[in-house]
Amino acid sequence: MHTINYRGQYFSVDGPLNLSRSVQGRPVLYTAGASPAFVEMAATYTDGAFIPGSSLEQALHIANALRTKLTEKNRAPENFIVATAQNPIVAKTDAEAQQKYLEQVSLNRYRAMPAPLFFGSAERVANQVQQWYEAGAMDMLIVNQDYPTGLADFAELVVPILQERGIFHTEYEADTLRGNLELPRPKFRKI
């Protein structure tokens, strides 16, 4: 514990706070965006970033900009998580995935619904996830669920393939988010 000795316009505090430090060191910090200002802020202050993923090229461009900026700031890019979200429609076959997509479109007649980027058979979607991961466009995939069973379908059909390929873990190895993301525990600041 140490004193804070903060004096500001709205409050002042001598400290110290009578709480123990988190076992993670501090919470894992994320930010979201795509602009140059976002890249600067994310590379300076956070442990990871949520980036848009409307195409592999877009995600890769932003991920590379983040990693370049991290290196410029003497931070290890491998200690930073780039995450993007997708809403996969997956089934055992491409035809079944197409049927799910058409069903969803029929329920949303007044809203244009392009097919998702991660779309098709489990094998096809696993290949797409692997391509994005190996290209460096993402370290982590956030699965959105536009189709009612989208998350369950992904977990049941795609995750086992990714586990078999060594891209997705089979067990959690740590008891904190930071540990499971394989991010180092920040050093305690000196007084």
Side-chain angles (χ1 to χ4, degrees):
M1 292 187 359
H2 58 274
T3 57
I4 296 170
N5 296 325
Y6 175 81
R7 301 286 178 259
Q9 181 178 353
Y10 299 104
F11 72 93
S12 299
V13 64
D14 292 326
L17 185 60
N18 59 348
L19 297 176
S20 298
R21 184 174 191 224
S22 165
V23 295
Q24 297 189 106
R26 62 170 166 72
V28 176
L29 301 176
Y30 273 86
T31 190
S35 70
F38 153 79
V39 169
E40 177 72 29
M41 183 178 71
T44 303
Y45 300 110
T46 69
D47 301 301
F50 296 111
I51 65 170
S54 59
S55 71
L56 172 60
E57 294 74 21
Q58 178 198 36
L60 191 54
H61 174 76
I62 299 166
N64 286 338
L66 281 162
R67 291 183 182 109
T68 298
K69 187 58 75 173
L70 287 161
T71 301
E72 288 174 10
K73 293 183 173 289
N74 295 317
R75 292 186 62 194
E78 62 272 13
N79 293 335
F80 189 90
I81 304 295
V82 176
T84 191
Q86 295 293 329
N87 59 342
I89 294 180
V90 62
K92 292 179 181 172
T93 67
D94 287 340
E96 288 177 26
Q98 181 69 23
Q99 188 58 41
K100 287 180 179 182
Y101 169 67
L102 293 174
E103 179 185 328
Q104 190 175 7
V105 168
S106 73
L107 297 172
N108 292 284
R109 290 181 295 194
Y110 304 109
R111 189 177 119 207
M113 289 195 64
L117 292 179
F118 292 10
F119 176 66
S121 70
E123 190 73 28
R124 180 184 302 276
V125 172
N127 290 343
Q128 294 164 332
V129 171
Q130 183 173 1
Q131 178 189 19
W132 281 50
Y133 174 75
E134 289 178 351
M138 67 178 177
D139 301 310
M140 182 169 62
L141 174 64
I142 309 296
V143 178
N144 292 336
Q145 180 174 302
D146 285 351
Y147 187 78
T149 61
L151 183 58
D153 292 343
F154 189 88
E156 179 185 321
L157 300 170
V158 179
V159 168
I161 297 170
L162 296 174
Q163 287 174 325
E164 210 172 271
R165 296 178 184 180
I167 295 170
F168 192 84
H169 58 83
T170 56
E171 293 181 17
Y172 289 106
E173 297 177 8
D175 58 359
T176 65
L177 175 61
R178 181 175 295 284
N180 285 315
L181 292 173
E182 299 177 358
L183 294 171
R185 186 172 187 240
K187 291 185 171 132
F188 191 69
R189 73 176 190 159
K190 300 195 186 214
I191 300 175

